Amino acid sequence: MQGITKRSLAKDAVLIIVGIFSAALGLKGFLLSSHFIDGGVTGISMLLSSLFRIPLAFLIPIINLPFIIIGYRQIGRAFAIKSTVAITGLAVCLALVKFPDVTPDLLLTSVFGGFFIGAGIGLAMRGGAVLDGTEVAALLVSRRNSGVRVGDVILGMNIFIFAAAAYFLGVDIALYSMLTYFTASKTVDFLIHGIEEYTAVWIVSDHHEEIRELITDKLNKGVTVLNSEKGFGKRGEQAEATKVLYSVVTRLEVSRLRDAIAEIDPLAFIVQHGIDDARGGIVKERPLH
């Protein structure tokens, strides 16, 4: 069990470190020289940096700080610690590491800048952290208002950001920046397997009772227990009864859930798929962790 935890932490650390350097490359190697911005909290930081000549390495952790506090309260201490380390690492990387200005072409700058930023954000999320606090804020708003989805909140924030960019930086830069954000968001979606905010997880294991208690008591998530029978295998048809667990979690929680299940049963059969939205139940009514 301890070995699995150490391997999991090492894997998360590698993902977060690679994500930091990828995002820093997208920012310093592509966007900053052309004054393009991204969406979300990073975009706000870049816009303020362009307007007031404040170093981006200083603004990113400062503006993300409130969202880290929200993440600590709503998601958990481990998430907050990882995200703090990731965002601090990004700020240090921006301040100290030199990246070449890769290309003067504006179209290539917007597309590949967005790609590397999106890859960095996606890899950090795979490691259980965030480099941009936008999703944490959007998740909190959607939990307080069941009629508002996470995607709606993020869209509204970015409309405001790019409208401000068009006013202060010019329409051309705003349009290129929108292309940057679109590329970054699609890259994130690819890396975390889907654009959905929620993920349904099916679990088949002989240790189903221990896993059920883990999900309900330790992770504070809802779980549905389905009566089932084992199907076909090497020995042909089997009529042995078993239990199948079904739970819905946010995509920020999938990594922690899978790691926790692996500690109980490394051979558990797990299937996950994205769902468009989830309403009611423990997903909305109790803390994420």
Side-chain angles (χ1 to χ4, degrees), residues 141-174:
V141 173
S142 69
R143 285 166 60 86
R144 291 185 172 181
N145 187 341
S146 60
V148 179
R149 291 172 35 173
V150 174
D152 298 332
V153 179
I154 294 175
L155 177 61
M157 291 176 62
N158 286 316
I159 288 175
F160 173 78
I161 292 169
F162 292 123
Y167 180 80
F168 290 109
L169 304 179
V171 175
D172 288 348
I173 289 180

mmCIF file of all heavy atoms in Angstrom, residues 141-174:
data_model
loop_
_atom_site.group_PDB
_atom_site.id
_atom_site.type_symbol
_atom_site.label_atom_id
_atom_site.label_comp_id
_atom_site.label_asym_id
_atom_site.label_seq_id
_atom_site.Cartn_x
_atom_site.Cartn_y
_atom_site.Cartn_z
ATOM 1 N N VAL A 141 -19.198 28.365 -7.952
ATOM 2 C CA VAL A 141 -20.405 29.081 -8.382
ATOM 3 C C VAL A 141 -21.500 28.101 -8.779
ATOM 4 O O VAL A 141 -22.669 28.254 -8.400
ATOM 5 C CB VAL A 141 -20.083 30.038 -9.539
ATOM 6 C CG1 VAL A 141 -21.366 30.643 -10.107
ATOM 7 C CG2 VAL A 141 -19.143 31.140 -9.077
ATOM 8 N N SER A 142 -21.134 27.062 -9.528
ATOM 9 C CA SER A 142 -22.131 26.096 -9.996
ATOM 10 C C SER A 142 -22.721 25.304 -8.834
ATOM 11 O O SER A 142 -23.886 24.906 -8.861
ATOM 12 C CB SER A 142 -21.513 25.148 -11.026
ATOM 13 O OG SER A 142 -20.570 24.296 -10.418
ATOM 14 N N ARG A 143 -21.929 25.057 -7.792
ATOM 15 C CA ARG A 143 -22.438 24.316 -6.626
ATOM 16 C C ARG A 143 -23.440 25.163 -5.844
ATOM 17 O O ARG A 143 -24.376 24.631 -5.257
ATOM 18 C CB ARG A 143 -21.277 23.901 -5.721
ATOM 19 C CG ARG A 143 -20.463 22.735 -6.251
ATOM 20 C CD ARG A 143 -19.156 22.601 -5.505
ATOM 21 N NE ARG A 143 -19.372 22.369 -4.089
ATOM 22 C CZ ARG A 143 -19.564 21.169 -3.536
ATOM 23 N NH1 ARG A 143 -19.555 20.098 -4.307
ATOM 24 N NH2 ARG A 143 -19.746 21.027 -2.247
ATOM 25 N N ARG A 144 -23.241 26.465 -5.845
ATOM 26 C CA ARG A 144 -24.164 27.339 -5.110
ATOM 27 C C ARG A 144 -25.423 27.656 -5.902
ATOM 28 O O ARG A 144 -26.438 28.050 -5.334
ATOM 29 C CB ARG A 144 -23.439 28.644 -4.737
ATOM 30 C CG ARG A 144 -22.349 28.443 -3.697
ATOM 31 C CD ARG A 144 -21.740 29.757 -3.251
ATOM 32 N NE ARG A 144 -20.827 29.564 -2.133
ATOM 33 C CZ ARG A 144 -20.175 30.538 -1.531
ATOM 34 N NH1 ARG A 144 -20.337 31.796 -1.928
ATOM 35 N NH2 ARG A 144 -19.360 30.277 -0.526
ATOM 36 N N ASN A 145 -25.345 27.504 -7.216
ATOM 37 C CA ASN A 145 -26.502 27.762 -8.073
ATOM 38 C C ASN A 145 -26.657 26.579 -9.026
ATOM 39 O O ASN A 145 -25.920 26.460 -9.992
ATOM 40 C CB ASN A 145 -26.308 29.064 -8.849
ATOM 41 C CG ASN A 145 -27.558 29.467 -9.615
ATOM 42 O OD1 ASN A 145 -28.450 28.643 -9.864
ATOM 43 N ND2 ASN A 145 -27.629 30.729 -9.997
ATOM 44 N N SER A 146 -27.608 25.706 -8.735
ATOM 45 C CA SER A 146 -27.750 24.483 -9.521
ATOM 46 C C SER A 146 -28.167 24.754 -10.960
ATOM 47 O O SER A 146 -28.041 23.878 -11.815
ATOM 48 C CB SER A 146 -28.788 23.556 -8.856
ATOM 49 O OG SER A 146 -30.055 24.196 -8.781
ATOM 50 N N GLY A 147 -28.648 25.970 -11.252
ATOM 51 C CA GLY A 147 -29.045 26.287 -12.614
ATOM 52 C C GLY A 147 -27.902 26.744 -13.496
ATOM 53 O O GLY A 147 -28.084 26.963 -14.689
ATOM 54 N N VAL A 148 -26.718 26.895 -12.897
ATOM 55 C CA VAL A 148 -25.542 27.352 -13.637
ATOM 56 C C VAL A 148 -24.525 26.231 -13.713
ATOM 57 O O VAL A 148 -24.146 25.662 -12.693
ATOM 58 C CB VAL A 148 -24.914 28.594 -12.952
ATOM 59 C CG1 VAL A 148 -23.677 29.052 -13.721
ATOM 60 C CG2 VAL A 148 -25.932 29.720 -12.861
ATOM 61 N N ARG A 149 -24.059 25.921 -14.905
ATOM 62 C CA ARG A 149 -23.069 24.872 -15.098
ATOM 63 C C ARG A 149 -21.668 25.466 -15.076
ATOM 64 O O ARG A 149 -21.466 26.654 -15.310
ATOM 65 C CB ARG A 149 -23.304 24.138 -16.406
ATOM 66 C CG ARG A 149 -24.558 23.301 -16.413
ATOM 67 C CD ARG A 149 -24.894 22.735 -17.764
ATOM 68 N NE ARG A 149 -23.723 22.373 -18.543
ATOM 69 C CZ ARG A 149 -23.789 21.725 -19.710
ATOM 70 N NH1 ARG A 149 -24.975 21.376 -20.184
ATOM 71 N NH2 ARG A 149 -22.708 21.434 -20.385
ATOM 72 N N VAL A 150 -20.703 24.603 -14.786
ATOM 73 C CA VAL A 150 -19.308 25.038 -14.728
ATOM 74 C C VAL A 150 -18.885 25.681 -16.041
ATOM 75 O O VAL A 150 -18.252 26.739 -16.074
ATOM 76 C CB VAL A 150 -18.393 23.842 -14.390
ATOM 77 C CG1 VAL A 150 -16.928 24.249 -14.468
ATOM 78 C CG2 VAL A 150 -18.700 23.306 -13.007
ATOM 79 N N GLY A 151 -19.254 25.043 -17.147
ATOM 80 C CA GLY A 151 -18.885 25.577 -18.456
ATOM 81 C C GLY A 151 -19.465 26.955 -18.714
ATOM 82 O O GLY A 151 -18.829 27.798 -19.363
ATOM 83 N N ASP A 152 -20.684 27.207 -18.191
ATOM 84 C CA ASP A 152 -21.305 28.520 -18.369
ATOM 85 C C ASP A 152 -20.525 29.604 -17.635
ATOM 86 O O ASP A 152 -20.343 30.719 -18.138
ATOM 87 C CB ASP A 152 -22.752 28.485 -17.855
ATOM 88 C CG ASP A 152 -23.613 27.493 -18.617
ATOM 89 O OD1 ASP A 152 -23.314 27.250 -19.802
ATOM 90 O OD2 ASP A 152 -24.568 26.962 -18.025
ATOM 91 N N VAL A 153 -20.061 29.277 -16.431
ATOM 92 C CA VAL A 153 -19.295 30.240 -15.646
ATOM 93 C C VAL A 153 -17.977 30.578 -16.334
ATOM 94 O O VAL A 153 -17.593 31.743 -16.460
ATOM 95 C CB VAL A 153 -19.030 29.695 -14.230
ATOM 96 C CG1 VAL A 153 -18.211 30.694 -13.416
ATOM 97 C CG2 VAL A 153 -20.337 29.393 -13.522
ATOM 98 N N ILE A 154 -17.271 29.542 -16.800
ATOM 99 C CA ILE A 154 -15.989 29.759 -17.484
ATOM 100 C C ILE A 154 -16.190 30.578 -18.751
ATOM 101 O O ILE A 154 -15.407 31.488 -19.050
ATOM 102 C CB ILE A 154 -15.330 28.398 -17.806
ATOM 103 C CG1 ILE A 154 -14.951 27.684 -16.503
ATOM 104 C CG2 ILE A 154 -14.094 28.585 -18.684
ATOM 105 C CD1 ILE A 154 -14.401 26.296 -16.709
ATOM 106 N N LEU A 155 -17.252 30.274 -19.494
ATOM 107 C CA LEU A 155 -17.541 31.031 -20.716
ATOM 108 C C LEU A 155 -17.791 32.498 -20.396
ATOM 109 O O LEU A 155 -17.254 33.401 -21.072
ATOM 110 C CB LEU A 155 -18.755 30.431 -21.421
ATOM 111 C CG LEU A 155 -19.225 31.163 -22.688
ATOM 112 C CD1 LEU A 155 -18.128 31.162 -23.746
ATOM 113 C CD2 LEU A 155 -20.501 30.522 -23.229
ATOM 114 N N GLY A 156 -18.588 32.771 -19.369
ATOM 115 C CA GLY A 156 -18.873 34.151 -18.999
ATOM 116 C C GLY A 156 -17.622 34.911 -18.589
ATOM 117 O O GLY A 156 -17.425 36.072 -18.978
ATOM 118 N N MET A 157 -16.759 34.255 -17.819
ATOM 119 C CA MET A 157 -15.508 34.896 -17.403
ATOM 120 C C MET A 157 -14.642 35.247 -18.612
ATOM 121 O O MET A 157 -14.075 36.345 -18.697
ATOM 122 C CB MET A 157 -14.737 33.970 -16.461
ATOM 123 C CG MET A 157 -15.390 33.770 -15.103
ATOM 124 S SD MET A 157 -14.493 32.590 -14.081
ATOM 125 C CE MET A 157 -12.913 33.411 -13.898
ATOM 126 N N ASN A 158 -14.556 34.335 -19.552
ATOM 127 C CA ASN A 158 -13.683 34.561 -20.701
ATOM 128 C C ASN A 158 -14.250 35.598 -21.679
ATOM 129 O O ASN A 158 -13.482 36.308 -22.334
ATOM 130 C CB ASN A 158 -13.410 33.234 -21.417
ATOM 131 C CG ASN A 158 -12.444 32.370 -20.638
ATOM 132 O OD1 ASN A 158 -11.436 32.836 -20.134
ATOM 133 N ND2 ASN A 158 -12.755 31.091 -20.525
ATOM 134 N N ILE A 159 -15.560 35.687 -21.779
ATOM 135 C CA ILE A 159 -16.154 36.759 -22.599
ATOM 136 C C ILE A 159 -15.733 38.114 -22.051
ATOM 137 O O ILE A 159 -15.341 39.032 -22.797
ATOM 138 C CB ILE A 159 -17.690 36.628 -22.624
ATOM 139 C CG1 ILE A 159 -18.101 35.409 -23.476
ATOM 140 C CG2 ILE A 159 -18.326 37.901 -23.178
ATOM 141 C CD1 ILE A 159 -19.589 35.135 -23.445
ATOM 142 N N PHE A 160 -15.774 38.259 -20.739
ATOM 143 C CA PHE A 160 -15.360 39.517 -20.104
ATOM 144 C C PHE A 160 -13.870 39.779 -20.335
ATOM 145 O O PHE A 160 -13.464 40.900 -20.669
ATOM 146 C CB PHE A 160 -15.653 39.452 -18.604
ATOM 147 C CG PHE A 160 -15.115 40.623 -17.837
ATOM 148 C CD1 PHE A 160 -15.761 41.846 -17.841
ATOM 149 C CD2 PHE A 160 -13.933 40.502 -17.106
ATOM 150 C CE1 PHE A 160 -15.247 42.931 -17.136
ATOM 151 C CE2 PHE A 160 -13.416 41.564 -16.404
ATOM 152 C CZ PHE A 160 -14.087 42.788 -16.416
ATOM 153 N N ILE A 161 -13.046 38.745 -20.191
ATOM 154 C CA ILE A 161 -11.594 38.903 -20.339
ATOM 155 C C ILE A 161 -11.236 39.331 -21.758
ATOM 156 O O ILE A 161 -10.458 40.281 -21.962
ATOM 157 C CB ILE A 161 -10.872 37.597 -19.970
ATOM 158 C CG1 ILE A 161 -11.007 37.319 -18.478
ATOM 159 C CG2 ILE A 161 -9.392 37.650 -20.358
ATOM 160 C CD1 ILE A 161 -10.571 35.935 -18.069
ATOM 161 N N PHE A 162 -11.806 38.668 -22.762
ATOM 162 C CA PHE A 162 -11.444 38.987 -24.142
ATOM 163 C C PHE A 162 -12.072 40.305 -24.606
ATOM 164 O O PHE A 162 -11.515 40.985 -25.472
ATOM 165 C CB PHE A 162 -11.827 37.833 -25.070
ATOM 166 C CG PHE A 162 -10.990 36.604 -24.836
ATOM 167 C CD1 PHE A 162 -11.583 35.395 -24.510
ATOM 168 C CD2 PHE A 162 -9.606 36.662 -24.930
ATOM 169 C CE1 PHE A 162 -10.808 34.273 -24.283
ATOM 170 C CE2 PHE A 162 -8.824 35.538 -24.711
ATOM 171 C CZ PHE A 162 -9.429 34.342 -24.381
ATOM 172 N N ALA A 163 -13.208 40.662 -24.042
ATOM 173 C CA ALA A 163 -13.772 41.991 -24.335
ATOM 174 C C ALA A 163 -12.838 43.078 -23.796
ATOM 175 O O ALA A 163 -12.594 44.092 -24.470
ATOM 176 C CB ALA A 163 -15.164 42.114 -23.723
ATOM 177 N N ALA A 164 -12.304 42.868 -22.587
ATOM 178 C CA ALA A 164 -11.353 43.818 -22.028
ATOM 179 C C ALA A 164 -10.076 43.865 -22.855
ATOM 180 O O ALA A 164 -9.506 44.940 -23.084
ATOM 181 C CB ALA A 164 -11.034 43.441 -20.577
ATOM 182 N N ALA A 165 -9.635 42.700 -23.338
ATOM 183 C CA ALA A 165 -8.438 42.655 -24.180
ATOM 184 C C ALA A 165 -8.654 43.430 -25.480
ATOM 185 O O ALA A 165 -7.762 44.142 -25.954
ATOM 186 C CB ALA A 165 -8.062 41.204 -24.486
ATOM 187 N N ALA A 166 -9.840 43.300 -26.071
ATOM 188 C CA ALA A 166 -10.139 44.029 -27.301
ATOM 189 C C ALA A 166 -10.119 45.537 -27.060
ATOM 190 O O ALA A 166 -9.660 46.308 -27.908
ATOM 191 C CB ALA A 166 -11.499 43.591 -27.844
ATOM 192 N N TYR A 167 -10.600 45.955 -25.896
ATOM 193 C CA TYR A 167 -10.658 47.390 -25.586
ATOM 194 C C TYR A 167 -9.269 47.956 -25.301
ATOM 195 O O TYR A 167 -8.899 49.032 -25.801
ATOM 196 C CB TYR A 167 -11.577 47.610 -24.388
ATOM 197 C CG TYR A 167 -11.709 49.057 -23.986
ATOM 198 C CD1 TYR A 167 -12.559 49.921 -24.668
ATOM 199 C CD2 TYR A 167 -10.969 49.564 -22.911
ATOM 200 C CE1 TYR A 167 -12.673 51.254 -24.298
ATOM 201 C CE2 TYR A 167 -11.083 50.889 -22.530
ATOM 202 C CZ TYR A 167 -11.930 51.730 -23.239
ATOM 203 O OH TYR A 167 -12.034 53.044 -22.863
ATOM 204 N N PHE A 168 -8.479 47.250 -24.504
ATOM 205 C CA PHE A 168 -7.195 47.792 -24.058
ATOM 206 C C PHE A 168 -6.035 47.448 -24.987
ATOM 207 O O PHE A 168 -5.100 48.249 -25.143
ATOM 208 C CB PHE A 168 -6.871 47.277 -22.651
ATOM 209 C CG PHE A 168 -7.743 47.848 -21.577
ATOM 210 C CD1 PHE A 168 -8.694 47.053 -20.957
ATOM 211 C CD2 PHE A 168 -7.622 49.169 -21.198
ATOM 212 C CE1 PHE A 168 -9.511 47.572 -19.952
ATOM 213 C CE2 PHE A 168 -8.432 49.703 -20.191
ATOM 214 C CZ PHE A 168 -9.368 48.897 -19.576
ATOM 215 N N LEU A 169 -6.062 46.269 -25.611
ATOM 216 C CA LEU A 169 -4.922 45.816 -26.411
ATOM 217 C C LEU A 169 -5.177 45.857 -27.909
ATOM 218 O O LEU A 169 -4.227 45.763 -28.692
ATOM 219 C CB LEU A 169 -4.533 44.381 -26.003
ATOM 220 C CG LEU A 169 -4.202 44.160 -24.524
ATOM 221 C CD1 LEU A 169 -3.850 42.689 -24.276
ATOM 222 C CD2 LEU A 169 -3.051 45.057 -24.082
ATOM 223 N N GLY A 170 -6.427 45.943 -28.314
ATOM 224 C CA GLY A 170 -6.750 45.958 -29.733
ATOM 225 C C GLY A 170 -7.517 44.727 -30.157
ATOM 226 O O GLY A 170 -7.360 43.649 -29.577
ATOM 227 N N VAL A 171 -8.324 44.876 -31.191
ATOM 228 C CA VAL A 171 -9.171 43.780 -31.651
ATOM 229 C C VAL A 171 -8.345 42.622 -32.194
ATOM 230 O O VAL A 171 -8.637 41.446 -31.928
ATOM 231 C CB VAL A 171 -10.169 44.280 -32.726
ATOM 232 C CG1 VAL A 171 -10.967 43.119 -33.298
ATOM 233 C CG2 VAL A 171 -11.108 45.327 -32.134
ATOM 234 N N ASP A 172 -7.291 42.921 -32.960
ATOM 235 C CA ASP A 172 -6.478 41.855 -33.538
ATOM 236 C C ASP A 172 -5.857 40.972 -32.460
ATOM 237 O O ASP A 172 -5.891 39.737 -32.541
ATOM 238 C CB ASP A 172 -5.371 42.440 -34.418
ATOM 239 C CG ASP A 172 -5.905 43.008 -35.724
ATOM 240 O OD1 ASP A 172 -7.090 42.737 -36.030
ATOM 241 O OD2 ASP A 172 -5.159 43.706 -36.421
ATOM 242 N N ILE A 173 -5.298 41.607 -31.442
ATOM 243 C CA ILE A 173 -4.689 40.831 -30.359
ATOM 244 C C ILE A 173 -5.751 40.013 -29.627
ATOM 245 O O ILE A 173 -5.516 38.852 -29.258
ATOM 246 C CB ILE A 173 -3.955 41.771 -29.380
ATOM 247 C CG1 ILE A 173 -2.689 42.319 -30.047
ATOM 248 C CG2 ILE A 173 -3.607 41.045 -28.087
ATOM 249 C CD1 ILE A 173 -1.888 43.250 -29.175
ATOM 250 N N ALA A 174 -6.930 40.587 -29.433
ATOM 251 C CA ALA A 174 -8.011 39.863 -28.755
ATOM 252 C C ALA A 174 -8.431 38.634 -29.562
ATOM 253 O O ALA A 174 -8.671 37.562 -29.001
ATOM 254 C CB ALA A 174 -9.204 40.786 -28.532
#
